[in-house]
Amino acid sequence: MAKYNTLLYYCYSTIADAEQFAADHLKFCKSLGLTGRIIVADEGLNGTVSGTPEACQAYMDAVYADGRFNSTEFKIDEVDEPSFVKMHVRYKSEIVHSGLRNPNIINPQLKTGKHLEPKEFLAMKDDDDVVILDVRSNYEHNLGKFKNAVTLDIENFRDFPAMINQLAQYKDKKVLTYCTGGIKCEKASALLLHEGFKDVYQLHGGIIKYGKEAGGEDFEGKCYVFDNRLSVDVNTVNPVVISTCLNCGKVTPKMINCANPECNEHFTQCDECGEKMEGCCSEACKSHPRKRVYDGTGYYVKVPQPVNVAKRAKIQLAE
């Protein structure tokens, strides 16, 4: 039996007094001994939490016991150690930042693309009238993506709406959207429908569920995840590595964060360059005075930064 579980989930469901809910939810998660990161917004929950199987089961039971979150689907990974160091629950304007805040236009509770289960997605993805659309950021699809997928040159999901015009050529196709766990597709597919795309689908449960239920077939590379694992294997059918080292160009599946905290770039780097560059993406970052110690993982726990007293004084005077 696994020592720990990591749960990935989301649920679009209206939460009254979501800010207070977030505070209470943090206390509850800590009482179970969980670690992780949860975003709470008026529109729902988006989280990844990690803990013992017993603690994770207790958490899932509590979420399902709250009638607002009955539709939540948990993707469960067995891990050797917790995937986070601390527990954070934060209130934000959206559970995935898109900049699309008009519920009359984009509301996943009312209208999204047709959900495809992993095996349905597998059966459709190679049809002539289909285009597979990756709605994730550059650093994610550079690490791994579906074979023949259309990818977008975006740094964050909030850049997706500006790319709609570039996708106009696919309006007569069946558009199959996908992301890590499904949450981005809820809004991406809704926006595509709003913009006149007629036949829009989304991979239910995302890449993670596809790996578990369809063997990850034709997903090339690894899948980026938002915890200290940084990436996970998906394809057990026909796996291949597609990512290359930023520094030398050698094929490598290893994703890290730059050791310079003021850069913190997500990029792929082979172990040899990792040692040579001390986990940095460039010589400039390597010589930065705040460079963190590289331990070979490329994952760093965020630490509070010292207060800029002079800057704070200026702000207070201005007020």
Side-chain angles (χ1 to χ4, degrees):
M1 184 176 181
K3 292 176 64 176
Y4 299 96
N5 286 164
T6 294
L7 311 177
L8 174 68
Y9 68 97
Y10 71 89
C11 181
Y12 282 98
S13 180
T14 303
I15 303 175
D17 198 6
E19 196 163 359
Q20 182 60 51
F21 178 91
D24 295 340
H25 203 64
L26 174 60
K27 293 177 183 177
F28 173 65
C29 290
K30 286 185 173 181
S31 75
L32 293 177
L34 295 174
T35 59
R37 186 182 299 117
I38 300 171
I39 297 173
V40 177
D42 298 343
E43 65 182 6
L45 297 173
N46 173 20
T48 307
V49 298
S50 195
T52 65
E54 295 77 15
C56 287
Q57 186 61 55
Y59 180 78
M60 290 187 286
D61 290 344
V63 169
Y64 285 134
D66 187 321
R68 294 172 293 185
F69 310 127
N70 286 338
S71 64
T72 304
E73 183 171 310
F74 290 94
K75 275 76 74 177
I76 306 172
D77 277 346
E78 296 182 345
V79 293
D80 293 328
E81 57 186 30
S83 298
F84 296 88
V85 175
K86 298 180 180 180
M87 186 70 232
H88 298 283
V89 180
R90 294 190 172 93
Y91 171 76
K92 295 189 177 183
S93 58
E94 299 178 272
I95 55 175
V96 58
H97 185 29
S98 67
L100 303 170
R101 300 179 188 175
N102 187 338
N104 296 319
I105 296 176
I106 305 298
N107 187 343
Q109 295 184 57
L110 299 178
K111 188 175 184 179
T112 63
K114 304 166 190 172
H115 285 229
L116 290 175
E117 293 302 321
K119 290 184 178 179
E120 294 175 314
F121 183 94
L122 174 63
M124 280 183 64
K125 68 180 183 61
D126 295 323
D127 291 350
D128 291 339
D129 60 344
V130 162
V131 61
I132 305 171
L133 177 62
D134 191 319
V135 304
R136 301 172 303 153
S137 304
N138 288 334
Y139 63 88
E140 297 175 87
H141 60 66
N142 285 341
L143 181 65
K145 64 183 181 64
F146 276 102
K147 182 179 179 181
N148 299 323
V150 172
T151 58
L152 303 174
D153 184 14
I154 57 177
E155 295 299 321
N156 297 283
F157 182 60
R158 62 177 175 268
D159 299 326
F160 177 79
M163 307 298 288
I164 291 295
N165 289 339
Q166 295 186 25
L167 300 173
Q169 60 186 303
Y170 304 119
K171 278 194 173 182
D172 294 329
K173 296 274 191 177
K174 293 178 181 177
V175 180
L176 275 56
T177 66
Y178 74 89
C179 59
T180 307
I183 186 171
K184 293 177 180 177
C185 290
E186 300 281 8
K187 288 191 174 182
S189 64
L191 180 61
L192 289 169
L193 289 168
H194 177 74
E195 293 293 331
F197 289 76
K198 303 299 183 185
D199 219 354
V200 182
Y201 302 79
Q202 63 190 79
L203 175 56
H204 182 57
I207 300 164
I208 300 300
K209 186 176 181 182
Y210 182 83
K212 295 179 183 301
E213 297 187 9
E217 184 173 344
D218 287 337
F219 185 84
E220 300 179 329
K222 301 185 76 171
C223 180
Y224 181 88
V225 291
F226 298 85
D227 57 60
N228 65 5
R229 295 173 297 171
L230 293 179
S231 65
V232 296
D233 291 318
V234 171
N235 191 333
T236 57
V237 178
N238 54 351
V240 62
V241 178
I242 63 169
S243 50
T244 58
C245 177
L246 175 71
N247 303 107
C248 72
K250 176 183 175 182
V251 173
T252 178
K254 188 173 183 179
M255 168 71 78
I256 73 169
N257 283 4
C258 181
N260 173 9
E262 293 187 13
C263 171
N264 209 44
E265 183 74 20
H266 302 74
F267 67 102
T268 44
Q269 186 179 63
C270 68
D271 287 331
E272 187 175 342
C273 286
E275 292 183 15
K276 178 182 176 181
M277 298 296 295
E278 298 176 7
C280 292
C281 65
S282 65
E283 289 293 340
C285 285
K286 184 179 176 181
S287 61
H288 196 279
R290 289 187 57 215
K291 179 175 67 70
R292 297 169 290 201
V293 176
Y294 178 62
D295 65 359
T297 66
Y299 178 82
Y300 306 96
V301 178
K302 290 183 178 180
V303 295
Q305 300 302 313
V307 175
N308 188 326
V309 178
K311 184 177 180 180
R312 173 174 284 186
K314 287 181 180 179
I315 292 172
Q316 289 173 339
L317 285 173
E319 292 174 344

